[in-house]
Every structure is written in C-alpha cells, then in structure tokens.
Amino acid sequence: MENRPFISVVMPVYNAEKYLVSSIESVLNQSFHDLELILVNDCSTDGSSAICKDYLCRDARVKYIELTKNVGAGNTRNAGVETARGVYLAFIDADDTIELDLYQKAVDASCDGSLDLIVWGATECYYGKNGCLSSKNAIQGTPCVLNEDSQIARMALELEQKTLLGYQWNKLYKREIVENEHIRFEKSVLYEDFFFSLSVLNHVNSMAVIESAGYYYNKRFEGSITNKYVLEYFELSRRRVNSMYCFCKKREIGGEASNVLGNIYLRYILSGLMRNEDKRSGMSSKDKIQWIKKICNDKLYIRTAKNCKTHSKILGILQKFMNGKKYGLCRLMGIGTYLVKVYFKNLYVSMTKQGGN
C-alpha cells in the first residue's frame, strides 16, 4: 500500500516573492508533520521560482510544479489537486500564513480521517498603503461535529453568513470525494472557491468545525479583484445565492435558509445597483431601470429577499423600495452607494462587509 501523506497542501504561486517564504515556512513548520506541500508556479516573473526550487531541495515533503503558461489561480490549484496524494486536501495562498498548530487541531477533529470535511475560521489582517498592519478581525464558526444532512446544511448556511463558506483555504477536504466526483475549480473571475466548496458539500455526509481562527488572511488589495470592475459580478453573485438556496432546499431547510440568503442577496443587489452607476457598465438610464425591474420580478428575489427580515436599515429601505416597485428610488440608492464608495471608502467597506467573499 502506498505510503501517502495525511494532508496534501496546495499553494498556487504567482509573483509572490515578498511573502512566499513566510507562507511556506508556516506550512513546513507545522506541529503536524505528515503532510506534503505542493507549490504550483503559474508563470511568475519575479523571484518566486527560485524560492520554490530552494525549498524543493531543502525538504522532501515539498513538490514543485512549474506551469508552461499562465492559467489563473483556479486552474493552478487544479494542477496541484491532480498531483496530491493525501487523505485530505488543504489550500493556502502564497501571501497568507497559518498558525503552527492549525493542522494538528484539524487532524485531531477528523476522527482519524473518517470525517469528510473539517472547517476552521480566519483572522482578516488589513494592511494600509504603507504596508503596515492596520487592523485585525477574527471570524469563526460554531464548533461542532455533524453527520446529518440538515445539520450540515444549517452549518453551511452559518458559514456562508459569516463569509467563511466560500474560502478554500479554511478547510480539509476529503480527497476521495474530490477525485470520485471529479470536482475541480472552474474558470471564473469570481467565487471559484465558493463553487468548489459547495460542489464538495453536496457529497459531504460528515463534518466538523473547530475553534480556531488560525488562518491569517492578509488583505493588502494590491491588484486585488475587489478593486476591479467585474462585468459578470451580479450574474455570478446571483448564481452563488441560487446555488446555496438549492443546496439548502435539497437538504430540506429551504425555508430556514430564505431569511439568511435574502439578506445576502439584498447586499449583492445594492452592490449591483452601485456598479451599474460606474461608467464601465455601459448602461443607459433606461437600462438601469430595466435591470431593477428584472430583479424585482426574479424568482430568486421573491423566494428569498422579498419577505426576509432585514439585518440593516439600508437593506430594509432597499427591500421596501423594491417591493413597492419604486424603481427610481432604487436607482437613487445605487447612485448614493456609488458616491460613498468613491468619496468615503472606509464607510463603503463597513456597509458592504457582509454578504459573501
């Protein structure tokens, strides 16, 4: 029988030389040693390749893949998944780090590798323009061990509400599920992590959530997709909410899910209204009103957001305007949100912080 590692850790690497050493060291110095680290270089043009090759020579647990063309983070992870041999799959981004006992805690919760999924929290680390840490925010799910469909769906819903479901780096995935169901990261400008995790969840019969925020998610926003205009933003956001709703409905908690998902969907709608006001949308005033009308009559809006109990005054006002067919007032909210984003960025971040990663 093949002597395989317990965890295969996949790290996509692209022009990460400033942070790569710290990230690699946080994996290799784990108190849990039975792992392999698969570094996948997506055609970096900086010194990342040399760093990866140095660790390849230094530690037998390191594997190195050098891609011949740039394929993006999702397909880079796929290359690592196809090389992985472990009982579980884990992921880490090349500019993040993890606490040195994180994997040991996850393994301890895995019931000797019998559970399908283990989830932990994260510490969001915000860095200013000067590169200095400005603030931290720890997020965790409720610690538990679950083995019933409805329980798993409820926990998935909680994790989505806390923005923890969509990340791929805060989980141990049973590799057998990923391989048997041929699950891979799709090529998408947004939410590829979420769709991967949800695809796995559709086949999960047992899971644990551990009490840890030991993944340090460093938010530097240097070239981040969050700073770019994404034409497909709302289409993909709607798909995210709809996919989650279908998952919950399949596991017989569709009614319970509607309120949580309705609030998330309203946030996406408000963000969509704001993005419509960006010149890059190419939308006329008529187009923007038609967009609002379409959303108000959308089945997903009716099932989730139309009658949900809103968690903020802003979302409550938007819901009232939408239900009352006040399309012009909805658009005014989009204009106002756009102006807040342009002139009061910190306020905008606090307004839109929840609702999915």
Side-chain angles (χ1 to χ4, degrees):
M1 185 176 178
E2 180 188 10
N3 183 21
R4 58 174 177 165
F6 199 75
I7 304 174
S8 292
V9 185
V10 177
M11 181 187 294
V13 178
Y14 180 71
N15 290 351
E17 65 176 352
K18 287 197 293 184
Y19 316 109
L20 187 54
V21 169
S22 295
S23 186
I24 291 174
E25 290 282 346
S26 75
V27 175
L28 297 181
N29 291 330
Q30 285 287 301
S31 58
F32 182 80
H33 298 285
D34 188 13
L35 57 82
E36 64 178 354
L37 174 60
I38 304 169
L39 303 171
V40 189
N41 183 12
D42 191 20
C43 298
S44 297
T45 56
D46 63 359
S48 294
S49 176
I51 294 171
C52 291
K53 290 175 181 176
D54 179 49
Y55 278 97
L56 178 64
C57 296
R58 279 205 254 166
D59 195 314
R61 296 176 298 168
V62 175
K63 307 293 184 291
Y64 179 55
I65 302 170
E66 194 162 78
L67 302 180
T68 57
K69 64 177 181 179
N70 182 265
V71 295
N75 281 327
T76 302
R77 292 189 187 102
N78 288 339
V81 169
E82 287 159 15
T83 301
R85 300 176 297 119
V87 177
Y88 287 102
L89 278 170
F91 299 91
I92 181 172
D93 287 348
D95 57 349
D96 295 336
T97 59
I98 54 178
E99 286 184 352
L100 298 184
D101 62 348
L102 177 60
Y103 289 158
Q104 185 64 64
K105 289 178 179 178
V107 169
D108 289 344
S110 75
C111 298
D112 294 323
S114 64
L115 298 189
D116 294 334
L117 184 70
I118 297 92
V119 183
W120 52 86
T123 300
E124 298 173 330
C125 302
Y126 295 89
Y127 289 83
K129 291 181 180 179
N130 59 1
C132 294
L133 180 66
S134 58
S135 65
K136 288 184 178 182
N137 178 43
I139 313 169
Q140 297 186 68
T142 304
C144 60
V145 178
L146 307 171
N147 54 22
E148 292 182 7
D149 282 359
S150 59
Q151 292 175 337
I152 291 169
R154 287 188 183 95
M155 177 49 62
L157 193 63
E158 177 187 316
L159 294 171
E160 175 69 345
Q161 188 176 24
K162 293 181 176 180
T163 73
L164 287 171
L165 181 64
Y167 298 125
Q168 97 298 135
W169 37 246
N170 67 326
K171 301 173 181 70
L172 290 186
Y173 303 91
K174 183 68 79 67
R175 190 173 68 87
E176 184 180 42
I177 293 175
V178 174
E179 290 307 312
N180 289 348
E181 303 301 330
H182 307 289
I183 299 168
R184 294 294 185 270
F185 291 88
E186 59 185 72
K187 188 175 182 179
S188 176
V189 70
L190 282 177
Y191 308 141
E192 58 192 17
D193 301 358
F194 170 84
F195 294 121
F196 177 87
S197 292
L198 191 61
S199 294
V200 175
L201 264 170
N202 274 303
H203 304 282
V204 163
N205 296 311
S206 58
M207 70 178 288
V209 178
I210 64 173
E211 190 173 2
S212 173
Y215 188 98
Y216 291 95
Y217 177 28
N218 296 315
K219 293 196 169 192
R220 298 183 178 91
F221 299 110
E222 298 168 2
S224 169
I225 191 69
T226 57
N227 285 339
K228 299 176 182 177
Y229 183 84
V230 179
L231 190 62
E232 308 94 328
Y233 168 82
F234 187 78
E235 179 184 345
L236 289 169
S237 298
R238 185 196 180 280
R239 180 188 162 198
R240 177 172 182 154
V241 174
N242 189 60
S243 298
M244 192 66 198
Y245 177 77
C246 291
F247 169 76
C248 292
K249 188 176 180 182
K250 183 180 177 181
R251 299 210 171 193
E252 299 184 345
I253 65 157
E256 299 173 44
S258 294
N259 196 66
V260 172
L261 296 177
N263 277 270
I264 292 173
Y265 196 28
L266 281 169
R267 286 187 180 277
Y268 284 141
I269 292 168
L270 182 60
S271 188
L273 286 165
M274 178 272 295
R275 289 164 189 263
N276 289 350
E277 298 304 322
D278 192 302
K279 291 180 180 179
R280 291 170 291 183
S281 73
M283 297 175 72
S284 66
S285 295
K286 183 179 179 181
D287 292 336
K288 294 168 186 175
I289 294 297
Q290 287 299 119
W291 185 90
I292 299 166
K293 286 183 180 179
K294 181 180 177 180
I295 302 303
C296 289
N297 294 309
D298 178 29
K299 288 182 180 179
L300 183 62
Y301 175 79
I302 294 169
R303 288 170 180 163
T304 60
K306 184 173 183 178
N307 296 308
C308 73
K309 184 178 179 181
T310 55
H311 296 162
S312 76
K313 289 183 180 180
I314 292 174
L315 296 185
I317 293 169
L318 175 60
Q319 181 191 54
K320 183 177 180 179
F321 288 164
M322 292 183 70
N323 290 349
K325 310 296 183 185
K326 307 293 184 182
Y327 307 125
L329 293 176
C330 291
R331 192 189 163 195
L332 280 175
M333 287 193 72
I335 294 171
T337 306
Y338 179 74
L339 293 174
V340 168
K341 182 185 179 184
V342 172
Y343 297 106
F344 306 98
K345 291 185 179 180
N346 290 336
L347 176 59
Y348 174 77
V349 168
S350 67
M351 286 170 58
T352 59
K353 198 169 186 179
Q354 295 180 343
N357 43 285

